[in-house]
Amino acid sequence: MKKGILYGVGIGPGDKELLTLKAVKTLESADVIALPDSLSSKNRAYEIIKDYINGKEIIYCTMPMTKDKEHLEKSHNESAEKIIKYLDMGKNTAFATLGDPSIYSTYMYIHRIIENKGYEVCMVPGVTSFCASAARLNMSLSDGSEPLIIIPASYKDNKELLRMDCNKVLMKSGKNISKVKEEINQCGLTDKTYMVENCGMENEKIYKDFNQVGEESSYFSLIIVKR
Amino acid sequence: MKKGILYGVGIGPGDKELLTLKAVKTLESADVIALPDSLSSKNRAYEIIKDYINGKEIIYCTMPMTKDKEHLEKSHNESAEKIIKYLDMGKNTAFATLGDPSIYSTYMYIHRIIENKGYEVCMVPGVTSFCASAARLNMSLSDGSEPLIIIPASYKDNKELLRMDCNKVLMKSGKNISKVKEEINQCGLTDKTYMVENCGMENEKIYKDFNQVGEESSYFSLIIVKR
């Protein structure tokens, strides 16, 4: 029997209308839907794609918010096994991942496990949170010959990169917002910094003045620092 | 009379199916379509959106491939004036820009001129060429705590950035492919480098082995260097 294909579908950061035509087509034609099951992204991913699920079976893949490698590896393997059960039945499975699958998605860990076992995998790119946030701020991220650095929340030495002569994006900085605010301030960049919290969602908040940002912030906070 | 709104619509890098639902809606509901008129992008942008033009008037905005600031400024101002004529008639205008408007788009120059004159402007984010290329290669751009640097074709010192401990994207490197190949080779990164030429188009070419890349390449060549 022909094995099913795993599709990693980027569904954008929040606004349903930022789904691509290809994402909609892939979700609609899949036999099974897989969704990340973590406190932060479960409901958000479901909300974005719920119009295209049409009663299909949903596989929830636990994505623990931990840095413990063994724990992570175990849960990625378990998620991969759950999906493989369906692929072995010949069922195409669409894994919905926030933003774009190539940019810091936990989906990729599962993608690589399943690909290494010889199954066909296929990525559908999506709109990133930083492009969507720049659009909400009505500004560019980079022009002309300016480089752009994307810094993930778990990066250790923000200040080193903040001091580079280029534009910066800080992903998912909400959890450490006090630390990040201080670093940006110490680098003298506060008046060149902008933030979008929960981009494209009902509770979206746009900060054109970074001084207005408080000591607490949503997990889905995206910071743009212009050179 | 109410002025029209300028929409900067990211239309993705080439594959029509990477248009977002919002891009399609914005193009379909606009009164006028604006398109970049440069040798490299005119036909590509038109091909991506032609199903949504429906006989609407098209404004072609000349985008000269020059670094002469005065010449560029003059042509951006001329394009802005062309668009403003329609906005003053109350006509909403959708400017179709390849990839995403916040990432090195020439659209932003026109956007800023028109915004500074007091008109309403609105950006619709799109899928970037680097996300689409990563998807075609079935690989991630960055995982976990790895930073990602986007380097535009016109950046002067690639080697300095190539030597950083992070993942890199080199945008539109086709024109200087010989120079870029040499730089990547000198940094010992050839076996960690991948390229997609004309991503999502009929003449797409995927290089999983960077040694296979020749001395000539399309303007729309995207290079990914993994750490």
Side-chain angles (χ1 to χ4, degrees):
Chain A
M1 184 202 259
K2 204 169 166 286
K3 306 278 189 192
I5 300 168
L6 171 62
Y7 294 90
V9 182
I11 61 173
D15 179 346
K16 286 177 186 194
E17 292 201 323
L18 295 185
L19 281 167
T20 65
L21 303 178
K22 194 170 221 161
V24 168
K25 197 170 127 182
T26 307
L27 292 165
E28 283 186 333
S29 64
D31 301 303
V32 185
I33 303 289
L35 279 173
D37 186 3
S38 73
L39 278 178
S40 61
S41 59
K42 179 177 180 173
N43 295 326
R44 183 177 291 234
Y46 179 80
E47 284 300 317
I48 296 171
I49 66 160
K50 66 182 177 190
D51 298 344
Y52 310 104
I53 293 177
N54 304 324
K56 283 170 193 158
E57 198 161 345
I58 298 179
I59 310 172
Y60 284 102
C61 296
T62 308
M63 300 289 190
M65 299 293 239
T66 172
K67 283 174 186 171
D68 182 279
K69 273 202 179 168
E70 227 169 283
H71 184 182
L72 276 174
E73 213 170 288
K74 186 165 169 276
S75 80
H76 294 150
N77 280 319
E78 282 168 4
S79 294
E81 286 310 321
K82 276 193 205 175
I83 292 169
I84 284 172
K85 245 178 43 192
Y86 290 89
L87 300 179
D88 282 341
M89 290 189 268
K91 294 191 175 185
N92 292 333
T93 303
F95 190 114
T97 182
L98 288 171
D100 173 81
S102 76
I103 303 282
Y104 308 108
S105 82
T106 44
Y107 160 75
M108 285 308 292
Y109 297 99
I110 295 169
H111 172 104
R112 284 185 285 253
I113 295 169
I114 294 179
E115 186 177 31
N116 287 336
K117 294 198 174 181
Y119 294 85
E120 191 176 340
V121 290
C122 177
M123 289 159 73
V124 178
V127 171
T128 63
S129 57
F130 49 87
C131 290
S133 297
R136 296 295 293 131
L137 285 157
N138 252 331
M139 61 163 54
S140 71
L141 288 167
S142 267
D143 295 295
S145 60
E146 307 165 357
L148 171 67
I149 303 199
I150 318 294
I151 311 171
S154 52
Y155 189 68
K156 285 286 164 249
D157 192 359
N158 284 339
K159 280 203 277 185
E160 182 201 337
L161 298 183
L162 283 169
R163 288 206 177 98
M164 284 180 62
D165 180 27
C166 56
N167 302 302
K168 297 103 190 173
V169 161
L170 292 120
M171 306 273 294
K172 295 182 183 164
S173 306
K175 232 176 70 185
N176 311 312
I177 190 70
S178 295
K179 175 177 160 277
V180 173
K181 272 178 70 176
E182 205 184 304
E183 290 168 333
I184 288 171
N185 196 30
Q186 283 170 1
C187 294
L189 293 165
T190 301
D191 60 346
K192 289 173 184 161
T193 301
Y194 307 85
M195 187 169 107
V196 179
E197 204 175 332
N198 296 311
C199 185
M201 308 297 289
E202 269 179 29
N203 53 349
E204 178 186 85
K205 218 166 160 184
I206 295 175
Y207 296 90
K208 294 198 174 187
D209 177 359
F210 195 60
N211 286 304
Q212 301 295 314
V213 173
E215 296 306 315
E216 278 191 24
S217 174
S218 154
Y219 175 72
F220 291 104
S221 291
L222 189 122
I223 294 173
I224 296 169
V225 185
K226 296 290 283 187
R227 65 195 273 270
Chain B
M1 187 202 254
K2 206 170 165 286
K3 306 278 189 191
I5 300 169
L6 171 63
Y7 294 91
V9 182
I11 60 172
D15 180 345
K16 285 177 187 197
E17 291 200 324
L18 295 185
L19 281 167
T20 65
L21 303 178
K22 194 171 221 159
V24 168
K25 198 170 126 182
T26 307
L27 292 165
E28 285 186 331
S29 64
D31 301 303
V32 185
I33 303 289
L35 279 173
D37 187 2
S38 73
L39 277 178
S40 61
S41 59
K42 179 177 181 173
N43 296 327
R44 183 177 290 233
Y46 179 80
E47 283 300 316
I48 296 171
I49 67 161
K50 67 183 178 190
D51 298 343
Y52 309 104
I53 293 177
N54 303 325
K56 283 171 194 157
E57 199 161 343
I58 299 179
I59 310 172
Y60 284 102
C61 295
T62 308
M63 300 289 191
M65 299 295 238
T66 172
K67 283 174 186 169
D68 183 280
K69 273 200 180 169
E70 225 169 285
H71 184 182
L72 276 173
E73 213 170 288
K74 185 164 170 276
S75 80
H76 295 149
N77 280 320
E78 281 168 3
S79 293
E81 286 309 321
K82 275 192 205 173
I83 292 169
I84 284 173
K85 245 179 42 193
Y86 290 90
L87 300 179
D88 282 341
M89 291 189 268
K91 294 192 174 182
N92 291 335
T93 304
F95 190 115
T97 181
L98 288 170
D100 173 79
S102 76
I103 304 281
Y104 307 107
S105 81
T106 43
Y107 160 75
M108 285 308 291
Y109 297 99
I110 294 168
H111 173 105
R112 284 186 285 253
I113 295 169
I114 292 179
E115 186 179 31
N116 287 337
K117 295 198 174 181
Y119 294 85
E120 193 176 337
V121 290
C122 177
M123 289 159 72
V124 178
V127 171
T128 63
S129 56
F130 49 86
C131 290
S133 298
R136 296 296 293 132
L137 286 158
N138 251 331
M139 61 162 55
S140 71
L141 287 167
S142 267
D143 295 296
S145 60
E146 307 165 357
L148 172 66
I149 303 197
I150 318 294
I151 310 171
S154 52
Y155 188 68
K156 285 284 165 250
D157 192 359
N158 284 338
K159 280 203 276 185
E160 182 202 338
L161 298 183
L162 283 169
R163 288 206 176 98
M164 285 180 63
D165 180 28
C166 55
N167 303 302
K168 296 103 191 173
V169 161
L170 292 119
M171 306 272 295
K172 295 183 182 164
S173 305
K175 232 177 69 184
N176 310 313
I177 191 70
S178 294
K179 175 177 160 275
V180 172
K181 272 178 71 176
E182 205 184 306
E183 290 168 333
I184 288 172
N185 195 30
Q186 283 168 0
C187 294
L189 293 165
T190 301
D191 60 346
K192 290 172 184 161
T193 301
Y194 308 84
M195 187 169 106
V196 179
E197 203 175 333
N198 296 312
C199 185
M201 307 297 289
E202 269 179 28
N203 52 349
E204 179 187 83
K205 218 165 160 185
I206 295 175
Y207 296 90
K208 294 197 174 187
D209 176 357
F210 196 61
N211 287 305
Q212 301 295 314
V213 172
E215 297 306 314
E216 276 189 27
S217 173
S218 153
Y219 175 72
F220 291 103
S221 291
L222 190 122
I223 293 173
I224 296 170
V225 185
K226 296 289 284 186
R227 65 194 274 273

